[in-house]
Amino acid sequence: MTIAIRPATGGDVAAIDALLRRAFRAADEAMLVQRLCVDGDMVLTLVADDEASGELAGMVAFSRMQVEADGRVIPGVALAPVAVAAPYRRQGVAEALIQGGLNHLGDAGAAVCFVLGDPAYYGRFGFSTEHAAGFSSPYAGEHFMAVPLQGDRLACRARGAANHAAAFAMLGQDTEAQA
C-alpha cells in the first residue's frame, strides 16, 4: 500500500463528507467541515490517497483560530477533525496527515496549533496540556492541548485566550435546529 498526502481540492468534497459520515457516529464532524469552509475559516485540508485503488484513505482539517498570548495576537490553528477509513487504520495514515499538516502550517507561519483529544496519542506530535494550560477556552481541561509550530516561541507559561472558529460552537447541536 502506497499512500500519498496532498492538499484537498474541490473534487474531494463528496469523498471527504462520505468519509466523515462513516468514521463518526453522528454527522457533527461532516457538518463542522462544511461550516468551516462556508465561513472561510478553513486553513488547510489534507487528504491521503491510496495510490493503488484511488480511494480516499483519510483526511485532516486545520481551521483558523483567534489566539492571544501574553497580550499579543499570534497566528493559531485548530486541528479537527481527522478521519481515516476503516481499512487504513493503524497503518500510519493519521500520523502522516497530522505531521504533514503541522509541518506545512509551521512553514507558512502559524505559531501554534490546538487540539482536543487523547494526550497519549497527540503527545507524539509535541502537543501537551502544559502548552495549552494558560489559555482560556471553552474546551480547556485535561484533553485540551497545544503545540508550538515555530520552535519554542510559545513558552509553556504563555497566558491568553484561544478561540476556535464559530463553527465549533455548533458541534453536538441538532442539525434541524440549525436550518
Side-chain angles (χ1 to χ4, degrees):
M1 171 182 72
T2 304
I3 298 293
I5 306 296
R6 63 174 175 81
T9 67
D12 296 314
V13 171
I16 290 170
D17 188 72
L19 171 66
L20 290 168
R21 290 175 188 276
R22 283 190 315 270
F24 296 96
R25 284 182 274 239
D28 291 354
E29 283 75 10
M31 299 302 292
L32 172 65
V33 168
Q34 289 176 15
R35 179 55 46 199
L36 289 168
C37 291
V38 167
D39 292 349
D41 289 322
M42 189 65 75
V43 174
L44 177 66
T45 305
L46 295 178
V47 294
D49 291 321
D50 180 336
E51 291 185 327
S53 69
E55 290 183 80
L56 182 70
M59 66 78 61
V60 66
F62 295 88
S63 58
R64 186 175 338 280
M65 290 184 68
Q66 293 179 343
V67 181
E68 177 264 318
D70 295 333
R72 57 190 178 89
V73 175
I74 62 171
V77 295
L79 186 170
V82 60
V84 176
Y88 301 97
R89 293 184 185 148
R90 301 200 184 288
Q91 298 179 46
V93 174
E95 290 87 348
L97 285 163
I98 293 167
Q99 195 59 63
L102 294 174
N103 291 344
H104 176 86
L105 292 163
D107 291 346
V112 62
C113 181
F114 289 87
V115 70
L116 188 64
D118 180 5
Y121 179 80
Y122 287 101
R124 71 182 78 180
F125 305 102
F127 284 95
S128 74
T129 55
E130 291 80 21
H131 287 301
F135 291 90
S136 64
S137 166
Y139 306 105
E142 65 184 78
H143 296 285
F144 186 59
M145 296 166 282
V147 62
L149 299 177
Q150 301 296 318
D152 201 22
R153 261 184 31 194
L154 179 70
C156 288
R157 309 240 188 296
R159 298 280 181 244
N163 297 304
H164 286 71
F168 282 87
M170 295 181 183
L171 283 172
Q173 292 183 1
D174 180 30
T175 52
E176 288 182 24
Q178 295 175 19

